[in-house]
Amino acid sequence: MPLPQTEVPGRLQAELMSRGLRMTHQRRTILSVVETAKQHLDASQILRQARRLDPGIDRVTVYRTLGLLKRHGLIDELDLMHMQGEKHFYERRPQRDHIHMACLRCGKIAEFESDLFDRLKGQIQRECRFHIVVSRLEVGGYCAECRASN
Amino acid sequence: MPLPQTEVPGRLQAELMSRGLRMTHQRRTILSVVETAKQHLDASQILRQARRLDPGIDRVTVYRTLGLLKRHGLIDELDLMHMQGEKHFYERRPQRDHIHMACLRCGKIAEFESDLFDRLKGQIQRECRFHIVVSRLEVGGYCAECRASN
DNA sequence: TAATCTATTGCAACTGGGTTTCAACTTACG
DNA sequence: CGTAAGTTGAAACCCAGTTGCAATAGATTA
Ligand SMILES: [Mn+2]
Ligand SMILES: [Mn+2]
Ligand SMILES: [Zn+2]
Ligand SMILES: [Zn+2]
């Protein structure tokens, strides 16, 4: 049993169950990893974390579960400017979208919420008559520390 | 000789030459393909087009040239929501950044320039003290036609 | 609780976009 | 020209992600 039964189901798990999807041990484990992540994780990091809870989990199950969560709009997929390889990163979809800033020197990722961003998405929906399902704004550049220290 | 000598060098080629880079036949050919593209092209499309002008060109040269153009900030790399595979798309960096909208039903890509987008980038630079080198805003959703016809 | 039905899993093989290596070849420059 | 450093093509390679399929395990029903 990977998770103690006392574990509260978590929002992701509750959301998937309410949509009538089967809840397996593997899914519960992967969901808990995604849900409690403190940073953006790629698929292999999610696999490693999941295996600490349930060593038998296969990477194909991680990919399939990430695909499921994506299709249901429960997580967002990020590129983070593909600074090291072509891998993708994941995070729980937040209540309010945010912008990702990737420092090209130190690699740090910062997040930023902005009313202007919300207004811009509103403008796109209105003026382009385009119904937005998912949006991703990523910028690459240099953070304050790196600009100062060089 | 892939291109007629009467061909005006083109902005990309002029830019690279002004930075002291060697101008080879292959580079000239690939630059002309990127420069005259009417839509966003992926690496294999660029290779196919380039081979029509210079059949000996290898795909590794396309990747190397795209890397060069990226490093010099002369082209932008797009994901276009990775709607079919993990490939990337390229376009000449425009004077003014634009947003890409990808319809998840018909696959059409639309572009949109917005003053709000420019202001948002200004806000990021000021409030986050982050110097933006490259920015990418992509949204996925449903275009007007697809919303109407279903 | 057991039977059933169907979705999900793990394994292994595969795909495809992109990279590395290196000898041969160009390019730019004096 | 002759030279030296940068660039190329070919082949092998890498690695994130996918596919096919038989075995397994949720959910539902009796
Ligand atoms: Mn990508
Ligand atoms: Mn564009
Ligand atoms: Zn930094
Ligand atoms: Zn459409």
Side-chain angles (χ1 to χ4, degrees):
Chain A
M1 189 68 64
L3 292 175
Q5 293 87 331
T6 55
E7 185 79 23
V8 56
R11 303 264 297 283
L12 285 181
Q13 182 178 332
E15 194 58 44
L16 280 188
M17 286 176 82
S18 79
R19 299 181 194 202
L21 285 149
R22 273 192 200 177
M23 196 45 53
T24 62
H25 291 303
Q26 294 91 331
R27 280 188 182 161
R28 254 189 288 272
T29 304
I30 294 165
L31 297 191
S32 81
V33 169
V34 171
E35 194 134 53
T36 64
K38 294 283 176 276
Q39 345 103 48
H40 307 103
L41 302 177
D42 64 39
S44 70
Q45 290 173 311
I46 292 169
L47 174 64
R48 209 171 332 118
Q49 293 258 95
R51 277 193 164 149
R52 289 183 8 206
L53 301 166
D54 176 354
I57 273 185
D58 192 86
R59 69 206 187 92
V60 80
T61 302
V62 170
Y63 283 115
R64 288 196 273 234
T65 304
L66 289 173
L68 187 74
L69 292 168
K70 258 192 282 178
R71 284 197 303 283
H72 284 265
L74 299 174
I75 57 171
D76 282 316
E77 185 176 65
L78 308 172
D79 281 37
L80 301 183
M81 303 317 285
H82 283 309
M83 288 195 299
Q84 27 141 18
E86 303 282 292
K87 67 184 86 169
H88 292 112
F89 297 85
Y90 301 90
E91 71 180 352
R92 266 195 62 191
R93 179 166 296 187
Q95 326 71 322
R96 191 179 180 204
D97 277 347
H98 55 256
I99 296 150
H100 289 96
M101 292 166 280
C103 179
L104 302 171
R105 185 168 179 263
C106 70
K108 197 175 58 192
I109 306 295
E111 302 183 338
F112 182 55
E113 290 185 353
S114 163
D115 195 52
L116 275 175
F117 187 31
D118 302 326
R119 285 167 60 196
L120 172 56
K121 286 185 291 178
Q123 184 192 38
I124 292 168
Q125 306 224 54
R126 257 179 288 107
E127 295 187 17
C128 305
R129 309 197 51 247
F130 187 93
H131 177 244
I132 296 177
V133 172
V134 52
S135 69
R136 201 159 78 192
L137 172 51
E138 299 186 359
V139 308
Y142 296 98
C143 73
E145 291 75 50
C146 286
R147 282 197 296 160
S149 75
N150 196 358
Chain B
M1 189 68 64
L3 292 175
Q5 294 85 334
T6 55
E7 186 78 23
V8 55
R11 305 264 296 283
L12 285 180
Q13 182 178 330
E15 194 58 44
L16 280 188
M17 286 175 81
S18 80
R19 299 180 194 204
L21 285 150
R22 280 198 194 173
M23 195 45 53
T24 63
H25 292 302
Q26 295 90 330
R27 280 186 182 165
R28 253 189 289 271
T29 303
I30 294 165
L31 298 191
S32 81
V33 168
V34 171
E35 193 132 54
T36 64
K38 294 283 176 275
Q39 343 103 49
H40 309 102
L41 301 177
D42 63 40
S44 70
Q45 290 173 311
I46 292 168
L47 174 63
R48 209 170 333 118
Q49 293 258 93
R51 276 192 165 151
R52 289 183 9 203
L53 301 166
D54 177 353
I57 275 185
D58 192 87
R59 70 205 188 92
V60 79
T61 303
V62 169
Y63 283 115
R64 287 196 274 234
T65 304
L66 289 173
L68 187 73
L69 291 167
K70 256 192 285 178
R71 285 196 302 283
H72 284 265
L74 299 174
I75 58 172
D76 282 317
E77 186 176 64
L78 309 172
D79 281 36
L80 302 183
M81 303 316 287
H82 283 310
M83 289 197 297
Q84 27 141 19
E86 302 285 291
K87 66 184 84 167
H88 293 110
F89 296 86
Y90 301 90
E91 72 180 352
R92 267 194 63 191
R93 178 166 297 187
Q95 325 70 325
R96 191 180 178 205
D97 277 347
H98 56 256
I99 296 150
H100 290 95
M101 291 167 280
C103 179
L104 301 172
R105 184 168 179 262
C106 70
K108 199 174 58 193
I109 305 295
E111 301 182 336
F112 182 55
E113 290 186 351
S114 162
D115 195 52
L116 276 175
F117 187 32
D118 302 326
R119 286 167 58 196
L120 173 56
K121 286 186 291 180
Q123 185 193 36
I124 292 168
Q125 306 224 55
R126 256 178 290 108
E127 295 187 17
C128 306
R129 308 196 53 247
F130 187 93
H131 177 244
I132 296 178
V133 172
V134 53
S135 70
R136 201 160 78 192
L137 172 51
E138 300 187 358
V139 308
Y142 296 97
C143 74
E145 291 75 49
C146 287
R147 281 197 297 160
S149 75
N150 198 358

